[in-house]
């Protein structure tokens, strides 16, 4: 098949290679599986977003007047569970990762295409069970499932939710396994480790966390399920059970999980910034190694979630110090991205706007993490809205912005169409404004003492809560816009060429959309990554008129 | 790897999947995949070992009591059974490397027999626990025989018995999950035996057999740790 | 097509080696059970775990062929998994052990 641009006839590509539901549901093409995941995680984003909306509506007034307290417990629990396990954790790896990893390294597919499909089905089975749980009563333990409430006292569907997440965990594990084997074994000739795109480095680091961390939460949730189902007694205080044991096991995964959520977004940013600065990445080795460092150090800090739970003072000191250490590689990335832009030729395209937003918001989120890592401060702000603001700055201001930036950056490759750039920039601005209006007040609220997970609050907190809710509606608009114009672009968007952004990377050398097997011939790599001196810039950022 | 671009339509060896360049790449990918999977299994069981560590450290006397009520001869026998099964697996792969199909099949069948033997013995043990009221829950109780050799203040007896249930909870959780892995292993080997009997494996290609063997050995290794940790706590106090 | 053989087809180990490892494992199992009957105080557990670790290593090296593989990545995977498991066990245990020091 010719790889030159041809706008007159529709060439064969992975989207039109076969038609019919079976060709999608039984596909082993990593790109189709990526789209299956994209549809699924978008669905769960809506579900989790619905719960967020309900929370913000309740918090418009100090009184608990929209829902009952028990219902409110269910709202924040399911918001957290769905957003963490069914949206954020799979988001970039299972969509952009699945789509791009083989192409970026010059392979025809992942190492285990059928296992890739199985991982999606496991996600769907876990997700279906979760939806059943949601629709038949829900769960109210908090996304953290702390014992003994979850094992002995909660009257909600803990077993179902636990099993749903357990099954979903295997989806993660298989995805991570696939990526690690693919990167080790299927790189094209000449694609050495130091020529890999940084998105591959961060996806690889994420995959290591998938493999080593997820099994621990799997067994932990399974033990909770066994306890409830068979009355075992592992977490029953009356029978010697220790709530802190659960927390140690839970957070051993759930802290590295937050790095699962941020590392892929960092990888996306590392692709976007050099492209729209027309400059190779500053400190490639540092960024690559920092991804590995984040993955490794991320496993050493989990008990900073337990500072006030009853761990020993010495333990708390050690974990606090380690938590400061883990911030260093993240900071390294921020410095290197900034240095990449310095004296570059910067274009403020939509992906680049998201990248800027990411850097600013992730920095705030990360720095406030350091506030929380300080023992004295944590005693004051633990379990307040300060914590909520901190992690939303990272997960939404960071990870979701990275996801959106990546979707915009690679949309032309995925769909073969250009999205309307003006709308893209507008939506990015709306997301940024809406996000800050939603979550910045929460830092103040938390510092002033408003506890999290409370459905009513003292009247002096109302103004900030109203601002936050107002922000969330703006944020919702910002999220809906891309869904509309991406869909619009499928039909009416200008056809993208192979490389509308003039970006470096093997994926941009294929046609848009790519063929089923990506490459006519396996490429031989001779260039370093981000060879922007030798890649001509596109005449202009393609703008839909 | 060759130096020239590799064309899309290239000759596929038997058993070769299209997205791999050659069989060697496929074999290395499959092998790495299985080792990574075993790493996840180590972390999976590891969570329970962590619970075991914490509770044994917290309740050493209770754990000793619980351990001494387990059937040591059956536990030791099961350990030996699994070791025999690892031998037959290893020998079956060797037989395939030498092209001896019948021997391979016989050894694989033996492996499954050993696996099933393990499960049957495990079943007897669990039944024994049931009959002695050692299953955690409402009907749990320790007999005087169980408490031999241990001095417990009568006023603390109820709490002591309650705490001993952490041992049995972990015993059932750990041996139960291990048994589930054995069952899966036997199922896996049913398939591998069938494929071997059909002649699908030989000196040139036996990757599924090799990787199945890795899984089986891993399950054996878990038991190698479970045996002393569950069955051999303070056994000398029984004298 | 690659002309180099995979490392596995080069290594057909003598069956005597497998039988020898088997015998070693069986003997060590009985040793473990026998030593458990002797009062060594806290060292009972240490001895039992040392023997178990030796047995596990022998299974990994010989039955799982890790001694004969030229693939370094296999060993990296094994050590990484063990390393992170040790992190889980030791840092959790350190919390409990250091509570008495308060």
């Amino acid at each position: 098949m010719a790889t030159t641009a041809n706008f007159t006839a529709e060439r064969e590509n992975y989207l039109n290679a076969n038609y019919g539901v079976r060709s999608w549901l039984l596909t082993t093409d990593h790109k189709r599986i990526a789209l299956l995941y994209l549809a699924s995680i978008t669905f769960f984003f809506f579900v989790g977003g619905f719960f967020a909306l309900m929370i913000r509506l309740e918090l418009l007034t100090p009184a608990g007047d929209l829902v009952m307290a028990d219902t409110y417990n269910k709202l924040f629990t399911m918001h957290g569970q769905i957003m963490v396990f069914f949206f954020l954790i799979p988001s970039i790896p299972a969509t952009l990762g699945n789509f791009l990893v083989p192409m970026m390294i010059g392979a025809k597919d992942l190492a285990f295409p059928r296992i890739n499909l199985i991982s999606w089905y496991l996600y769907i089975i876990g997700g279906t069970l979760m939806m059943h749980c949601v629709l038949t009563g829900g769960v109210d333990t908090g996304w953290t499932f702390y014992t003994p409430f979850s094992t002995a006292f909660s009257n909600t569907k803990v077993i179902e939710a636990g099993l749903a997440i357990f099954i979903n965990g295997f989806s993660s594990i298989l995805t991570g396994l696939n990526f690690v084997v693919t990167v080790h074994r299927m790189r094209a000739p000449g694609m050495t480790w130091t020529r890999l795109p940084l998105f591959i480095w961060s996806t690889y680091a994420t995959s290591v966390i998938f493999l080593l961390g997820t099994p621990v939460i799997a067994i932990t949730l399974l033990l909770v399920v066994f306890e409830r189902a068979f009355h075992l007694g592992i977490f029953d205080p009356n029978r010697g059970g220790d709530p802190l044991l659960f927390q140690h096991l839970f957070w051993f995964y759930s802290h590295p999980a937050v790095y699962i959520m941020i590392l892929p977004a960092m990888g996306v940013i590392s692709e976007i910034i050099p492209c729209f600065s027309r400059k190779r990445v500053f400190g490639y080795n540092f960024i690559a190694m920092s991804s590995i460092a984040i993955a490794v150090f991320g496993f050493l800090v989990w008990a900073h979630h337990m500072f006030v739970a009853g761990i020993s003072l010495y333990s708390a000191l050690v974990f606090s110090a380690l938590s400061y250490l883990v911030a260093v590689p993240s900071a390294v990335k921020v410095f290197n991205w900034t240095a990449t832009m310095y004296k570059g030729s910067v274009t403020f395209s939509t992906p680049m706007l998201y990248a800027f937003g990411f850097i600013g918001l992730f920095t705030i989120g990360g720095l406030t993490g350091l506030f929380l890592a300080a023992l004295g401060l944590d005693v004051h702000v633990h379990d307040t809205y300060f914590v909520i603001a901190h992690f939303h700055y990272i997960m939404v201001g960071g990870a979701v912005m990275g996801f959106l930036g990546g979707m915009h950056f690679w949309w032309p490759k995925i769909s073969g169409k250009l999205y309307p750039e003006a709308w893209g920039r507008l939506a990015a601005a709306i997301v940024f404004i809406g996000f800050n209006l939603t979550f910045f007040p929460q830092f103040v609220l938390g510092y002033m003492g408003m506890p999290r997970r409370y459905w009513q609050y003292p009247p002096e907190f109302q103004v900030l809560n109203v601002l936050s809710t107002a922000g969330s509606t703006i944020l919702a608009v910002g999220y809906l816009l891309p869904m509309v114009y991406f869909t619009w672009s499928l039909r009416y968007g200008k056809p993208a060429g192979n490389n509308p952004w003039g970006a470096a990377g093997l994926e941009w050398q294929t046609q848009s959309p790519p063929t089923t097997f990506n490459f006519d011939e396996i490429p031989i790599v001779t260039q370093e990554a981000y060879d922007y001196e030798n890649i001509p810039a596109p005449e202009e950022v393609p703008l839909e008129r | 790897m060759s130096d020239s671009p590799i064309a899309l339509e290239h000759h596929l060896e038997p058993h070769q999947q299209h997205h791999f360049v050659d069989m060697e790449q496929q074999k290395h990918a499959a092998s790495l995949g299985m080792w990574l999977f075993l790493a996840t299994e180590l972390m999976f069981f590891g969570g329970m070992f962590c619970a075991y560590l914490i509770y044994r450290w917290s309740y050493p006397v209770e754990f000793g009591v619980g351990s001494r009520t387990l059937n040591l001869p059956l536990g030791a026998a099961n350990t030996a059974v699994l070791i025999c099964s690892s031998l037959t697996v290893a020998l079956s792969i060797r037989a395939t490397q030498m092209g001896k199909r019948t021997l391979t099949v016989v050894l694989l069948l033996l492996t499954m027999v050993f696996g099933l033997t393990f499960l049957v013995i495990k079943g007897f043990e669990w039944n024994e626990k049931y009959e002695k009221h050692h299953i955690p829950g409402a009907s749990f109780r320790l007999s005087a025989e169980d408490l031999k050799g241990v001095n417990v203040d009568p006023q603390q007896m109820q709490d002591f018995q309650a705490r001993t249930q952490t041992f049995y909870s972990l015993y059932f959780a750990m041996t139960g999950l291990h048994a589930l892995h054995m069952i899966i292993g036997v199922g896996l080997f049913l398939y591998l035996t069938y494929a071997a009997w059909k002649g699908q494996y030989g000196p040139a290609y036996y990757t599924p057999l090799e990787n199945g063997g890795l899984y089986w050995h891993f399950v054996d290794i878990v038991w190698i740790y479970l045996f002393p940790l569950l069955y051999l706590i303070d056994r000398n106090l029984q004298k | 097509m690659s002309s180099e053989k995979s490392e596995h087809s080069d290594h057909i180990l003598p069956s005597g080696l497998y039988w020898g490892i088997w015998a070693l494992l069986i003997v060590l199992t009985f040793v473990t059970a026998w030593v458990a009957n002797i009062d060594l105080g806290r060292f009972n557990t240490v001895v039992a775990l040392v023997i178990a670790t030796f047995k596990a290593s022998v299974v990994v090296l010989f039955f799982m062929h890790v001694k004969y593989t030229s693939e370094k990545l296999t060993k990296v995977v094994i050590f990484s998994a063990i390393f992170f498991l040790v992190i889980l066990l030791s840092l959790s245990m350190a919390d409990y052990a250091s509570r008495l020091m308060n």
Side-chain angles (χ1 to χ4, degrees), chain A residues 184-185 204 212 216 242 244-245 248-249 252 295-296 299-300 302 306 310-315 318-319 322, chain C residues 71 73-74 76-77 80-85 87-102:
Chain A
H184 274 285
R185 297 288 187 230
Y204 180 87
L212 293 172
V216 178
D242 184 12
L244 250 64
L245 172 66
H248 274 297
L249 291 173
F252 181 83
V296 172
F299 274 100
L300 306 180
W302 75 86
M306 299 161 64
I311 61 174
S312 76
L313 176 63
Y314 300 98
S315 201
V318 166
F319 278 105
L322 289 168
Chain C
E71 189 51 68
L73 192 53
T74 307
V76 171
V77 170
S80 303
I82 294 173
F83 175 75
F84 284 99
L85 180 58
I87 295 279
L88 170 63
L89 297 178
S90 56
L91 287 182
S92 300
M93 195 61 234
D95 170 33
Y96 284 84
S98 60
R99 285 186 203 172
L100 301 174
M101 289 156 64
N102 269 353

Side-chain angles (χ1 to χ4, degrees), chain B residues 119-159:
Chain B
L119 290 168
V120 166
I121 295 177
K122 177 61 51 197
F124 274 121
E125 282 192 76
W126 279 29
N127 185 58
E128 199 180 54
K129 290 285 126 242
Y130 170 73
E131 283 173 354
K132 288 187 175 176
H133 298 279
H134 289 159
I135 298 194
S139 56
F140 178 87
R141 64 170 190 273
L142 292 168
S143 66
E145 171 81 24
D146 297 330
L147 290 163
K148 208 169 58 170
V150 170
N151 287 327
V152 181
D153 180 353
Q155 283 197 320
Q156 307 286 335
M157 180 52 79
Q158 204 175 11
D159 285 343

